[in-house]
Short mmCIF file of all heavy atoms in Angstrom, two decimals:
data_model
loop_
_atom_site.label_atom_id
_atom_site.label_comp_id
_atom_site.label_asym_id
_atom_site.label_seq_id
_atom_site.Cartn_x
_atom_site.Cartn_y
_atom_site.Cartn_z
N GLU A 1 0.88 -1.16 -0.01
CA GLU A 1 0.03 0.01 -0.03
C GLU A 1 0.88 1.21 -0.01
O GLU A 1 1.97 1.19 0.56
CB GLU A 1 -0.91 0.01 1.22
CG GLU A 1 -1.91 -1.09 1.30
CD GLU A 1 -2.67 -1.03 2.60
OE1 GLU A 1 -2.76 0.02 3.24
OE2 GLU A 1 -3.26 -2.11 2.97
N GLY A 2 0.46 2.32 -0.61
CA GLY A 2 1.22 3.51 -0.65
C GLY A 2 0.78 4.44 -1.70
O GLY A 2 -0.20 4.17 -2.43
N VAL A 3 1.55 5.45 -1.95
CA VAL A 3 1.24 6.47 -2.98
C VAL A 3 2.26 6.51 -4.06
O VAL A 3 1.93 6.45 -5.28
CB VAL A 3 1.13 7.84 -2.35
CG1 VAL A 3 0.91 8.95 -3.36
CG2 VAL A 3 0.01 7.93 -1.35
N ASN A 4 3.57 6.46 -3.67
CA ASN A 4 4.62 6.60 -4.61
C ASN A 4 5.03 5.20 -5.20
O ASN A 4 5.42 4.33 -4.41
CB ASN A 4 5.87 7.26 -3.95
CG ASN A 4 7.05 7.47 -4.80
OD1 ASN A 4 7.73 6.52 -5.16
ND2 ASN A 4 7.22 8.70 -5.21
N ASP A 5 5.02 5.05 -6.53
CA ASP A 5 5.33 3.74 -7.13
C ASP A 5 6.70 3.24 -6.88
O ASP A 5 6.95 2.06 -6.59
CB ASP A 5 5.10 3.79 -8.68
CG ASP A 5 3.65 3.79 -9.04
OD1 ASP A 5 2.74 3.51 -8.18
OD2 ASP A 5 3.27 4.00 -10.22
N HIS A 6 7.67 4.14 -6.87
CA HIS A 6 9.05 3.81 -6.55
C HIS A 6 9.12 3.22 -5.06
O HIS A 6 9.69 2.12 -4.90
CB HIS A 6 10.02 5.06 -6.62
CG HIS A 6 11.42 4.77 -6.42
ND1 HIS A 6 12.39 5.19 -7.26
CD2 HIS A 6 12.08 4.10 -5.37
CE1 HIS A 6 13.58 4.77 -6.77
NE2 HIS A 6 13.40 4.13 -5.66
N HIS A 7 8.57 3.90 -4.17
CA HIS A 7 8.53 3.40 -2.80
C HIS A 7 7.82 2.04 -2.70
O HIS A 7 8.27 1.20 -1.98
CB HIS A 7 7.90 4.45 -1.89
CG HIS A 7 8.61 5.74 -1.77
ND1 HIS A 7 8.05 6.85 -1.35
CD2 HIS A 7 9.97 6.08 -2.08
CE1 HIS A 7 8.92 7.86 -1.30
NE2 HIS A 7 10.08 7.40 -1.81
N LYS A 8 6.71 1.89 -3.35
CA LYS A 8 5.95 0.67 -3.26
C LYS A 8 6.79 -0.51 -3.77
O LYS A 8 6.81 -1.56 -3.24
CB LYS A 8 4.60 0.77 -3.98
CG LYS A 8 3.62 1.72 -3.21
CD LYS A 8 2.24 1.64 -3.81
CE LYS A 8 2.09 2.26 -5.19
NZ LYS A 8 0.69 2.27 -5.64
N ALA A 9 7.44 -0.31 -4.98
CA ALA A 9 8.14 -1.37 -5.61
C ALA A 9 9.41 -1.70 -4.72
O ALA A 9 9.66 -2.87 -4.41
CB ALA A 9 8.68 -0.90 -6.97
N GLU A 10 10.04 -0.67 -4.15
CA GLU A 10 11.24 -0.95 -3.36
C GLU A 10 10.82 -1.61 -2.04
O GLU A 10 11.54 -2.60 -1.61
CB GLU A 10 11.98 0.31 -3.02
CG GLU A 10 13.31 0.12 -2.43
CD GLU A 10 14.27 1.31 -2.62
OE1 GLU A 10 14.05 2.25 -3.46
OE2 GLU A 10 15.28 1.29 -1.92
N ALA A 11 9.72 -1.21 -1.51
CA ALA A 11 9.24 -1.90 -0.28
C ALA A 11 8.95 -3.32 -0.46
O ALA A 11 9.27 -4.23 0.34
CB ALA A 11 8.01 -1.15 0.29
N ILE A 12 8.31 -3.67 -1.59
CA ILE A 12 7.97 -5.13 -1.95
C ILE A 12 9.27 -5.97 -2.11
O ILE A 12 9.31 -7.09 -1.64
CB ILE A 12 6.96 -5.25 -3.05
CG1 ILE A 12 6.16 -6.58 -2.91
CG2 ILE A 12 7.59 -5.16 -4.42
CD1 ILE A 12 5.16 -6.64 -1.87
N PHE A 13 10.26 -5.40 -2.81
CA PHE A 13 11.49 -6.15 -3.00
C PHE A 13 12.27 -6.33 -1.68
O PHE A 13 12.81 -7.35 -1.35
CB PHE A 13 12.36 -5.50 -4.03
CG PHE A 13 12.03 -5.89 -5.39
CD1 PHE A 13 11.10 -5.27 -6.16
CD2 PHE A 13 12.80 -6.94 -6.01
CE1 PHE A 13 10.87 -5.68 -7.51
CE2 PHE A 13 12.54 -7.39 -7.32
CZ PHE A 13 11.59 -6.73 -8.07
N LYS A 14 12.16 -5.34 -0.78
CA LYS A 14 12.90 -5.40 0.54
C LYS A 14 12.10 -6.37 1.38
O LYS A 14 12.76 -7.20 2.11
CB LYS A 14 12.97 -4.00 1.20
CG LYS A 14 14.01 -3.13 0.58
CD LYS A 14 13.98 -1.74 1.25
CE LYS A 14 15.00 -0.83 0.65
NZ LYS A 14 14.99 0.55 1.22
N ALA A 15 10.77 -6.39 1.39
CA ALA A 15 9.99 -7.35 2.18
C ALA A 15 10.23 -8.77 1.68
O ALA A 15 10.41 -9.70 2.45
CB ALA A 15 8.57 -7.00 2.17
N PHE A 16 10.39 -8.93 0.34
CA PHE A 16 10.76 -10.23 -0.21
C PHE A 16 12.11 -10.66 0.29
O PHE A 16 12.29 -11.82 0.69
CB PHE A 16 10.72 -10.10 -1.78
CG PHE A 16 11.18 -11.30 -2.49
CD1 PHE A 16 10.60 -12.58 -2.25
CD2 PHE A 16 12.14 -11.21 -3.45
CE1 PHE A 16 11.00 -13.67 -3.04
CE2 PHE A 16 12.66 -12.30 -4.18
CZ PHE A 16 12.05 -13.51 -3.96
N ALA A 17 13.09 -9.75 0.27
CA ALA A 17 14.40 -10.06 0.70
C ALA A 17 14.42 -10.49 2.21
O ALA A 17 15.04 -11.53 2.54
CB ALA A 17 15.35 -8.86 0.55
N LYS A 18 13.81 -9.73 3.04
CA LYS A 18 13.74 -10.02 4.46
C LYS A 18 13.04 -11.35 4.79
O LYS A 18 13.55 -12.10 5.69
CB LYS A 18 13.09 -8.83 5.21
CG LYS A 18 13.82 -7.59 5.21
CD LYS A 18 15.08 -7.66 6.06
CE LYS A 18 15.73 -6.30 6.28
NZ LYS A 18 17.06 -6.45 6.99
N SER A 19 11.97 -11.63 4.09
CA SER A 19 11.26 -12.87 4.36
C SER A 19 11.99 -14.05 3.91
O SER A 19 12.06 -15.15 4.57
CB SER A 19 9.82 -12.82 3.81
OG SER A 19 9.89 -12.63 2.35
N LEU A 20 12.63 -13.94 2.73
CA LEU A 20 13.51 -15.06 2.22
C LEU A 20 14.68 -15.29 3.09
O LEU A 20 15.04 -16.48 3.33
CB LEU A 20 13.88 -14.71 0.78
CG LEU A 20 14.34 -15.98 -0.08
CD1 LEU A 20 13.22 -16.98 -0.16
CD2 LEU A 20 14.80 -15.52 -1.49
N LYS A 21 15.32 -14.20 3.56
CA LYS A 21 16.49 -14.36 4.50
C LYS A 21 16.10 -15.17 5.67
O LYS A 21 16.90 -16.02 6.11
CB LYS A 21 16.91 -12.90 4.87
CG LYS A 21 18.08 -12.91 5.89
CD LYS A 21 18.39 -11.51 6.35
CE LYS A 21 19.50 -11.50 7.45
NZ LYS A 21 19.76 -10.19 7.89
N GLU A 22 14.91 -14.90 6.21
CA GLU A 22 14.49 -15.61 7.45
C GLU A 22 14.13 -17.04 7.11
O GLU A 22 14.46 -17.99 7.87
CB GLU A 22 13.34 -14.85 8.01
CG GLU A 22 12.86 -15.34 9.40
CD GLU A 22 13.98 -15.05 10.46
OE1 GLU A 22 14.83 -14.16 10.31
OE2 GLU A 22 13.90 -15.77 11.51
N ALA A 23 13.44 -17.27 5.93
CA ALA A 23 12.99 -18.64 5.61
C ALA A 23 14.14 -19.61 5.25
O ALA A 23 13.98 -20.79 5.51
CB ALA A 23 12.05 -18.55 4.40
N ILE A 24 15.30 -19.08 4.85
CA ILE A 24 16.37 -19.97 4.47
C ILE A 24 17.30 -20.29 5.67
O ILE A 24 18.24 -21.04 5.51
CB ILE A 24 17.24 -19.37 3.29
CG1 ILE A 24 17.92 -18.05 3.62
CG2 ILE A 24 16.30 -19.27 2.01
CD1 ILE A 24 18.86 -17.66 2.51
N LYS A 25 17.04 -19.64 6.84
CA LYS A 25 17.90 -19.94 7.95
C LYS A 25 17.86 -21.41 8.34
O LYS A 25 16.78 -22.03 8.31
CB LYS A 25 17.37 -19.07 9.21
CG LYS A 25 17.84 -17.67 9.18
CD LYS A 25 17.42 -16.99 10.45
CE LYS A 25 17.80 -15.53 10.48
NZ LYS A 25 17.31 -14.81 11.67
N VAL A 26 19.05 -21.86 8.66
CA VAL A 26 19.13 -23.29 9.08
C VAL A 26 18.92 -23.29 10.61
O VAL A 26 19.75 -22.66 11.35
CB VAL A 26 20.50 -23.92 8.68
CG1 VAL A 26 20.60 -25.32 9.24
CG2 VAL A 26 20.60 -23.88 7.18
N GLU A 27 17.92 -24.04 11.02
CA GLU A 27 17.57 -24.04 12.46
C GLU A 27 17.81 -25.41 13.17
O GLU A 27 17.82 -25.51 14.37
CB GLU A 27 16.08 -23.65 12.64
CG GLU A 27 15.65 -22.32 12.22
CD GLU A 27 14.23 -22.01 12.60
OE1 GLU A 27 13.36 -22.89 12.31
OE2 GLU A 27 14.01 -20.87 13.07
#
């Protein structure tokens, strides 16, 4: 959600990065 397309795209790529980083952790 948001107004600025640049911010929205960057936020989705960063959220993808952060979630993938966590999911690949070896526990």
Side-chain angles (χ1 to χ4, degrees):
E1 294 177 20
V3 175
N4 182 286
D5 284 349
H6 183 131
H7 295 162
K8 290 191 290 187
E10 193 161 343
I12 202 76
F13 272 87
K14 286 178 179 175
F16 174 56
K18 292 290 190 185
S19 58
L20 198 61
K21 176 184 176 183
E22 191 66 22
I24 65 174
K25 280 186 180 175
V26 177
E27 297 187 316

